[in-house]
Amino acid sequence: MKTLNKNYWENRYKSNSTGWDVGYITPPLQQYIDQLADKNLKILIPGAGNGYEFEYLYNQGFKNSFVADIAGQPLENIKHRIPKIAKNHLIHGDFFEIEDKFDLVLEQTFFCALNPELRKKYAEKMYSILNPGAKLAGLFFQFPLTLDGPPFGGSREEYIEIFSPLFTIKTLETAYNSIKPREGRELFFIFEKK
């Protein structure tokens, strides 16, 4: 298995080997964000890459939003697109070392980029950084798990097994509005911290 560390991800950005990056916010997350009423929510997007979801949140008035990435290049790209953003909203570091608390965490291609051995640790970390009753929402890939990733796949059953001890599964269904290349391969979910 590849070593998915800081150098690996920095090199992917520097060589423009970012096939997961579609260049804009994808419809499932845009529609989810569009129905959020409370602009004061403290929101985190981990493993945000170029952060199109973050940029969309910012432009919609969600000024209490944060992105985290282990690679510095995508954070520089965000800063270039949103020059007014406060530096502390761009977290350059390991997601598993974040100690702040959030009302909502948005998941978009981060979980699938982690070594599958970290999935239980991911669920536990999400639980620890979310406020009581807060939500983890976004997209998981729905295709057989192999060691050929990233991206690494997974199944509805696996996600229920990993997350249900810590979260109430509010929604976990095939996304109806995925972009063409991902049609039928994404699960939209909303999990609420127990």
Side-chain angles (χ1 to χ4, degrees):
M1 172 153 329
K2 299 174 190 93
T3 304
L4 304 175
N5 60 15
K6 181 179 191 280
N7 290 335
Y8 172 84
W9 292 109
E10 289 286 5
N11 289 333
R12 291 286 301 258
Y13 282 96
K14 286 178 180 161
S15 67
N16 208 20
S17 301
T18 55
W20 64 86
D21 187 329
V22 298
Y24 55 88
I25 186 172
T26 59
L29 281 182
Q30 181 177 340
Q31 288 184 18
Y32 179 72
I33 292 167
D34 286 347
Q35 58 80 44
L36 296 174
D38 184 357
K39 304 278 188 188
N40 295 313
L41 287 171
K42 188 171 183 183
I43 302 171
L44 173 68
I45 306 168
N50 285 313
Y52 304 109
E53 299 79 19
F54 173 74
E55 184 176 12
Y56 186 78
L57 282 165
Y58 184 84
N59 290 336
Q60 299 303 310
F62 291 90
K63 304 297 188 206
N64 201 15
S65 298
F66 299 80
V67 290
D69 207 291
I70 199 165
Q73 186 60 55
L75 298 176
E76 288 299 319
N77 297 345
I78 293 168
K79 182 76 175 152
H80 180 73
R81 292 193 327 268
I82 315 171
K84 292 180 183 174
I85 195 65
K87 189 174 174 153
N88 69 325
H89 286 255
L90 306 174
I91 303 165
H92 184 201
D94 187 336
F95 161 75
F96 292 103
E97 294 174 7
I98 293 174
E99 296 191 6
D100 211 345
K101 295 280 189 186
F102 300 91
D103 303 310
L104 172 65
V105 175
L106 292 176
E107 167 60 49
Q108 170 73 51
T109 70
F110 176 55
F111 181 85
C112 73
L114 292 171
N115 183 319
E117 293 173 3
L118 295 174
R119 290 184 170 187
K120 186 172 184 233
K121 185 177 177 184
Y122 168 104
E124 291 165 351
K125 185 63 181 179
M126 286 298 179
Y127 184 86
S128 77
I129 65 171
L130 285 167
N131 289 317
K135 293 183 175 79
L136 167 62
L139 297 164
F140 288 143
F141 277 128
Q142 172 176 239
F143 57 83
L145 177 59
T146 69
L147 297 181
D148 294 338
F152 299 101
S155 68
R156 187 176 194 282
E157 295 71 29
E158 178 193 2
Y159 303 140
I160 289 170
E161 183 181 328
I162 292 168
F163 290 95
S164 61
L166 302 171
F167 294 87
T168 301
I169 310 289
K170 297 289 198 180
T171 302
L172 180 59
E173 59 197 29
T174 301
Y176 68 87
N177 54 354
S178 294
I179 61 171
K180 283 274 184 218
R182 298 179 187 170
E183 271 181 2
R185 298 179 50 167
E186 290 183 313
L187 290 169
F188 177 75
F189 70 90
I190 303 171
F191 299 160
E192 187 175 289
K193 180 176 176 174
K194 287 184 177 177

